[in-house]
Amino acid sequence: MPYAQQHYPFENCKEFENGFPADFIAEGIDQTRGWFYTLLVLSTALFGKPPFKNLIANGLVLASNGQKMSKRKKSYPDPMETVHKYGADALRLYLINSPVVRAESLKFKEEGVRDILKDVFLHWFNAYRLAKEENSPFLYNQSKMDVSENYMDRWITFTQSLIKFVKGEMAAYRLYTVVPRLVKFVDQLTNWYVRMSRRRLKGDSGLADCKAAIETLFSPLWKQTACGKELLQGCYNLAALFSQGHQW
């Protein structure tokens, strides 16, 4: 909290008061008796209340052998190389889906980032590519979607409950509960809906049915990434190319 940074209370009083207490703070668990403690003592003494509304205590990210990461021993992969190799989204999702966001330690393994890319993002991208390739002039507009009577279409469009869950959990800063639900939905979409609807997506059952299947496939792709775009920024940017200015 910027007590000294904003030279409070000698100036910038309005700016400070507008941002105090903070919506959330985040710091490593090793700062429990340091920064966290000092922050609380100062705020209680000066203002009689906590300096934050929510707290995210991060655990420690350790080397794969369970020891502290060391520059001298080079016991961890270069972060930028990991980002360039697997993408920032995969690294972000790996960390958010790990014990480190529950104030527990994580043995960082590059294979874990690779698995997130392989099991989540490649599946998502394959579904996205299928929607794009089967109907290249397709432009998503939710307001113009017809209600499909196909059972598979009606089954997969249960994303409203997913959106409500993701928004509620992220608003409460329970990041660790969000990723498993997103991953489960990607699995249901790509391994069940796409598999069972492949002939429709290719147009074997007529143009109208193909259009309904394409719209149904893209709708949850868009809604899922839009509601969790902080976690799936790359997927969101791709999906937005097909959206007619639709903001979720």
Side-chain angles (χ1 to χ4, degrees):
M1 295 299 298
Y3 300 123
Q5 178 182 325
Q6 294 189 4
H7 204 214
Y8 179 87
F10 305 103
E11 57 182 331
N12 302 317
C13 293
K14 185 177 181 180
E15 290 80 356
F16 177 82
E17 291 166 359
N18 288 339
F20 185 89
D23 289 332
F24 81 98
I25 63 169
E27 187 57 82
I29 192 67
D30 56 319
Q31 290 295 323
T32 302
R33 292 180 295 175
W35 187 73
F36 283 142
Y37 176 75
T38 304
L39 196 64
L40 277 169
V41 168
L42 286 174
S43 181
T44 304
L46 294 172
F47 307 104
K49 59 182 178 180
F52 51 83
K53 300 175 185 177
N54 297 279
L55 164 66
I56 298 177
N58 305 316
L60 300 178
V61 181
L62 306 173
S64 58
N65 59 6
Q67 297 181 356
K68 183 179 178 181
M69 288 184 171
S70 170
K71 292 182 179 179
R72 179 175 59 83
K73 295 180 180 179
K74 297 183 180 179
S75 58
Y76 60 92
D78 183 280
M80 294 311 300
E81 288 184 9
T82 303
V83 169
H84 292 152
K85 190 174 182 179
Y86 302 106
D89 281 353
L91 179 59
R92 183 186 302 115
L93 215 59
Y94 170 72
L95 292 174
I96 291 177
N97 195 36
S98 74
V100 79
V101 295
R102 299 193 298 270
E104 300 174 13
S105 297
L106 165 68
K107 295 179 182 179
F108 184 89
K109 296 181 179 179
E110 190 174 342
E111 295 83 0
V113 185
R114 180 199 62 199
D115 290 343
I116 288 288
L117 178 66
K118 175 173 62 73
D119 297 336
V120 180
F121 288 100
L122 288 184
H123 287 188
W124 186 96
F125 183 74
N126 285 337
Y128 163 85
R129 185 172 59 181
L130 182 63
K132 181 177 183 295
E133 289 180 350
E134 296 300 335
N135 196 346
S136 55
F138 170 72
L139 202 60
Y140 174 67
N141 190 330
Q142 185 183 5
S143 63
K144 295 182 179 180
M145 283 184 62
D146 297 324
V147 178
S148 175
E149 296 299 322
N150 184 278
Y151 287 117
M152 290 299 295
D153 290 354
R154 296 173 70 177
W155 169 71
I156 200 60
T157 52
F158 66 90
T159 46
Q160 289 298 335
S161 60
L162 174 68
I163 291 168
K164 182 179 179 180
F165 175 82
V166 169
K167 288 189 173 182
E169 293 299 283
M170 293 190 71
Y173 296 90
R174 292 189 292 265
L175 307 181
Y176 49 86
T177 64
V178 171
V179 175
R181 287 285 292 267
L182 292 174
V183 170
K184 181 180 179 181
F185 183 78
V186 169
D187 177 70
Q188 291 173 331
L189 179 67
T190 58
N191 288 335
W192 287 103
Y193 181 78
V194 171
R195 183 181 299 174
M196 300 294 291
S197 307
R198 191 170 294 276
R199 295 185 63 183
R200 295 175 60 223
L201 292 166
K202 291 183 176 294
D204 292 353
S205 55
L207 184 60
D209 196 38
C210 176
K211 180 176 181 293
I214 291 289
E215 288 181 339
T216 302
L217 173 60
F218 187 78
S219 178
L221 285 174
W222 166 251
K223 290 179 180 178
Q224 179 198 27
T225 53
C227 76
K229 62 183 178 181
E230 293 84 359
L231 309 178
L232 306 166
Q233 187 62 52
C235 296
Y236 174 80
N237 291 341
L238 274 178
L241 297 175
F242 276 144
S243 174
Q244 287 188 333
H246 181 81
Q247 297 295 324
W248 188 256

